[in-house]
Amino acid sequence: MDFTAQARAAKDASRALATATRATKDAALHAMADALATAEADVLAANATDVAAAEQAGTAASLVDRLRLDPSRLAGMVDGLRQLAALPDPVGDVVRGWSRPDGVQVRQVRVPLGVVGIIYEARPNVTADAAGICLKSGNAVLLRGSSSALHSNTAVTAALRAGLERVGLDADAVQLVTGGREVTKEMMAARGLVDVLIPRGGAGLIEAVVTGSQVPVIETGTGNCHLVVDADADPGTALGIMVNAKVQRPSVCNSLETMLVHRDIAAGFLPRALAVLAEHGVTVHGDPEVAALDEAVVPAEEDDFTGEALSLDLSVAVVDDLDAALAHIRRYGSGHSETIVTESRRAADRFVAEVDAAAVLVNASSRFVDGGELGFGAEIGISTQKLHARGPMGLAEMTSTKFVLLGDGQVRA
Amino acid sequence: MDFTAQARAAKDASRALATATRATKDAALHAMADALATAEADVLAANATDVAAAEQAGTAASLVDRLRLDPSRLAGMVDGLRQLAALPDPVGDVVRGWSRPDGVQVRQVRVPLGVVGIIYEARPNVTADAAGICLKSGNAVLLRGSSSALHSNTAVTAALRAGLERVGLDADAVQLVTGGREVTKEMMAARGLVDVLIPRGGAGLIEAVVTGSQVPVIETGTGNCHLVVDADADPGTALGIMVNAKVQRPSVCNSLETMLVHRDIAAGFLPRALAVLAEHGVTVHGDPEVAALDEAVVPAEEDDFTGEALSLDLSVAVVDDLDAALAHIRRYGSGHSETIVTESRRAADRFVAEVDAAAVLVNASSRFVDGGELGFGAEIGISTQKLHARGPMGLAEMTSTKFVLLGDGQVRA
């Protein structure tokens, strides 16, 4: 089936899904979970084929790890679908409502977006997660996975579609989009058929979709996250947040990449911080002042401040004051999550007001900036754009709204 | 000044504006209004130059009318700025907030978008309206007006900037963008400097911006609006809404373009409708069944159903049932405002649930789909896209949000 035919089928499927009850959608999610669990042997065999090909091609171990499924990971995917069934349905929520003086009732109601396209890398768990979130929010989904996960994604999608059919829903609500690069281009040009594209993956993939797409895009961005240790920081709090944000899971977007230390606290704080970071196996890339403190510190290059390392590396610089810290974040930050540790109410207020990011934190770890931690129950990604959704996106962010006006013959004066 | 320098200056201005209090912004709006009123002679003289050039160039009378300012229209622009000062400030609103079990306080707070670009046609009143709405919502604005309104826009912008300076705000929060077509292209490529583009104008302008921009766009769309007269319609209600939606102001996007009449009511309803439409000077373009009723009816072509006439023309067709009406709207509708007149609860419910549009109306005129009529106080346009904002956009729609997390040292387990 060519892409346009797939997209039209998705549009048709989305119409029925838009008016499906929560009971129907939850039954579908459980049926999808059941079918995926039943297909375990097929899915793992398909995945083994992908993994073997990736290893033979010399793919980096970290990427092969993301590609690999095992019974435990598959159980996680199955469980994720069941958890979605337990969440409230955003569709039909009345966002606001009132009556006009002439008696016309006005309501703004949540409705699905329609057809959502997900473009993602070789992580077969995304196939089930994204399909589940789209289904629960009443959207049809076109899953454009990586060709290196093709066998895995095909097996997973087949199971999910079987689940949909079991409850009488149109299987074309969940479709895998295959084919060469020109298909991605068709997807990005499919205005009117695809309502939104969500790229999930590295900076290169996201940039290509954001700049190349005529379909509206929700940018799930990279995170170059900063921790500012203010003059009035409690050192113990700063050390605890530093370690948690850097070490707990360095490969994710809400982990720490750069620490900026106020000059007034640097002499006391930095030696302790360097010792603690060394204990946790973190390589510090420091500006000249930091590098002068410890020969284990790698002198920082400009590059160390611009990007997302996603590894146990931390860039550290001394800043003259809060203004300098804010200027550094303005220059290098990616608008994801920015943290200050301070006991000064004034510094905290300025930081919260002036930093332009999806999330701003005072005395708390940036690792909290996550749909699960914020209680959303499910997350399709973390938006670093300002339109539509900013920060962790849950089910409500996968909807649009519609104004409904109910009258009995009123006309405009 | 080249465009990039203008955009950087806007970005700088937007930073101070983002943390400006409501009192400061309201004082600025009044100062802008005062300055615009004081500049009346300059603005009208500049406008006379533009109008004379447009007339000499043979511009259509309706376009010249939109371009023309007079003391009353200028007073309307001044008054619009003062009305904005009276509206609540959306910035700082807490959209939702809660505490995590570990005590971290989470708040989602409204913040300005940053720098907004408006690309619009030769309507100098938009210059003041858009600048005022952006200012009130804490955004800097880059106004890309039509070259045929250059003198008018220059005079209006100069007055607005003088008002900003009078209250100590950076005048670069309001800038007119001039130059040839390549400047529009630069604007559409200015990702990172311009946060959102809003095209306001005809379908061609909007399409060019939506498909050409790498900056996120809010589409303020055209309105091919339908009125479905159901089998169970009250004929008097249908006639009243038909006349109001078609005749009251045919040149706007929420006016009626096509009426679809259920076959079961057509024989009784259509002759009355045609008579009433004729009284109001409306030219009916009818399908063969409608055309057979009255020789004044122009046989409808496919084109009559696809576009926005914005004139005293109405396309009329007979449909077999509600399914046929829904299919017609799916095929031809622009997703703006769709109306049904019916006494049937079942038909109303289906229409509301199944029509995919920014606004769906039952027994009320589509002319109510307007920021003023819905009580928003100000409107930057009516969005027909599904992301970010759908339907009339007021001040809140000109904002984004930011998550603020406040803790006392909490880290993720």
Side-chain angles (χ1 to χ4, degrees), chain A residues 5 15 60 62 68 74 100 103 136 143 150 161 170 193 210 218 224 235 244 279-280 301 326 368 383:
Chain A
R15 282 217 306 280
S62 64
R68 183 176 284 119
L74 194 68
R100 282 174 42 90
K136 178 80 187 199
L143 296 156
L150 179 61
R161 288 168 59 93
D170 187 343
L193 281 175
V210 166
I218 299 178
N224 182 9
N244 187 254
E279 274 169 37
H280 285 89
E301 321 251 326
L326 291 168
F368 289 129
S383 163

Side-chain angles (χ1 to χ4, degrees), chain A residues 82-133:
Chain A
R82 296 201 198 284
Q83 282 174 23
L84 280 166
L87 292 175
D89 187 348
V91 174
D93 270 4
V94 178
V95 177
R96 49 183 172 164
W98 62 92
S99 290
R100 282 174 42 90
D102 61 5
V104 173
Q105 293 174 46
V106 181
R107 294 200 296 254
Q108 189 178 11
V109 182
R110 282 206 186 286
V111 296
L113 290 164
V115 177
V116 175
I118 314 274
I119 302 180
Y120 57 110
E121 294 175 340
R123 300 180 63 177
N125 63 310
V126 171
T127 307
D129 289 356
I133 289 174

